Amino acid sequence: MRKLNYSQISVKAMKAFFQGWFVAILVMAAALAGNIKAGISKDVSPFGEVKSQKFTLSEVEVSKVKTENFLLAQTQIKTDELELPVALPDLAQIVLKGGNSSSGRVVGIDANTEALSIERSGKTGTIPLSQIQKVIFKTGALVYRRDGSQFIRGERNRPTGKAVTWSGIPLNAFTVKNPAQGQAVVKLKPPIVSTAKLQGIQSVARDRQYVVDEIQFNQQQRTIAILAKPY
């Protein structure tokens, strides 16, 4: 009877066992790689870009720059039309075309009826714009700022910038919001004022108050011209 060599059988069995495990490991590695590849392929944007969940510093910086540029663009779009608060001193002289004049507080300009409303001694009256040559606001008159504080133009309170003139403003672009304090709003936009100048005006108005010195009317074009100074 032939004797079995158990040592040879054991060695062969162990070789077969380890070869099976090695093949299994290779199969698992290939499957894992395939899953990773599939996961990445599913995370591809419609524009053909791979969206990685791990961002590098340079990508974060690029995203920040894009955001800042977008906000800057939004700001530039908004400054294409500026609603500028302006102050009307509480005493004005209305110079009429016939040579006469009247005085009082300007409390409104009606674009529909084309008339100027003034208040004097507690009474309100209107003057047709067709009769007005210009409106001059007195230097020594009381002025209210946006925050409600008051000052009187004169030697102690002088302008902090050069006078500016805005011409061709539509009548309906000027509104008196608070007649008692002379708080008004004028809408400025190109071509009346360029975008670059609008940004400059907005920068000045952040910490200063534009005060109207004079208003003139063009009835044929239904526009007004405003002379103002920052205080």
Side-chain angles (χ1 to χ4, degrees):
M1 181 179 293
R2 185 179 178 181
K3 295 181 178 181
L4 297 174
N5 190 339
Y6 291 101
S7 60
Q8 291 179 356
I9 295 174
S10 299
V11 170
K12 289 181 180 180
M14 290 178 66
K15 286 183 178 181
F17 175 78
F18 283 113
Q19 286 177 354
W21 268 104
F22 182 72
V23 172
I25 291 172
L26 291 179
V27 171
M28 290 176 64
L32 181 61
N35 290 336
I36 294 175
K37 184 176 181 181
I40 294 175
S41 63
K42 291 179 181 180
D43 203 21
V44 176
S45 71
F47 302 100
E49 298 173 349
V50 177
K51 299 179 181 178
S52 175
Q53 295 180 352
K54 184 178 180 181
F55 295 95
T56 64
L57 182 60
S58 61
E59 289 173 336
V60 173
E61 291 175 345
V62 169
S63 177
K64 183 178 179 181
V65 170
K66 289 181 178 179
T67 302
E68 291 175 350
N69 289 340
F70 173 76
L71 293 176
L72 179 60
Q74 291 294 99
T75 303
Q76 291 173 345
I77 291 172
K78 290 180 180 180
T79 55
D80 283 345
E81 180 175 334
L82 176 64
E83 293 189 359
L84 179 68
V86 295
L88 306 178
D90 68 347
L91 183 58
Q93 179 185 7
I94 294 85
V95 181
L96 304 178
K97 292 180 178 179
N100 296 328
S101 65
S102 181
S103 62
R105 180 200 298 270
V106 175
V107 294
I109 298 177
D110 194 323
N112 295 324
T113 61
E114 298 186 9
L116 176 75
S117 298
I118 61 171
E119 180 185 287
R120 183 173 59 183
S121 301
K123 297 181 179 180
T124 302
T126 60
I127 303 175
L129 300 183
S130 59
Q131 299 179 12
I132 301 174
Q133 181 179 348
K134 59 184 175 180
V135 178
I136 302 174
F137 292 91
K138 297 294 186 178
T139 301
L142 182 68
V143 179
Y144 286 87
R145 297 184 186 273
R146 293 189 301 274
D147 59 3
S149 61
Q150 308 172 12
F151 71 96
I152 296 177
R153 295 190 299 171
E155 294 182 358
R156 293 186 178 181
N157 296 285
R158 301 181 66 85
T160 57
K162 295 181 179 180
V164 292
T165 301
W166 306 311
S167 301
I169 302 170
L171 284 175
N172 59 6
F174 183 87
T175 307
V176 179
K177 297 290 188 179
N178 187 340
Q181 295 186 359
Q183 297 294 318
V185 172
V186 56
K187 294 181 180 180
L188 301 174
K189 62 181 180 180
I192 298 170
V193 180
S194 66
T195 302
K197 288 185 178 180
L198 281 178
Q199 294 174 353
I201 294 170
Q202 189 177 40
S203 177
V204 171
R206 285 172 185 167
D207 56 359
R208 283 175 278 182
Q209 175 70 60
Y210 276 101
V211 179
V212 178
D213 273 355
E214 188 175 311
I215 298 177
Q216 292 186 5
F217 302 97
N218 188 325
Q219 189 184 15
Q220 292 181 350
Q221 298 182 2
R222 292 176 53 82
T223 62
I224 63 175
I226 296 176
L227 174 66
K229 296 176 184 175
Y231 284 81

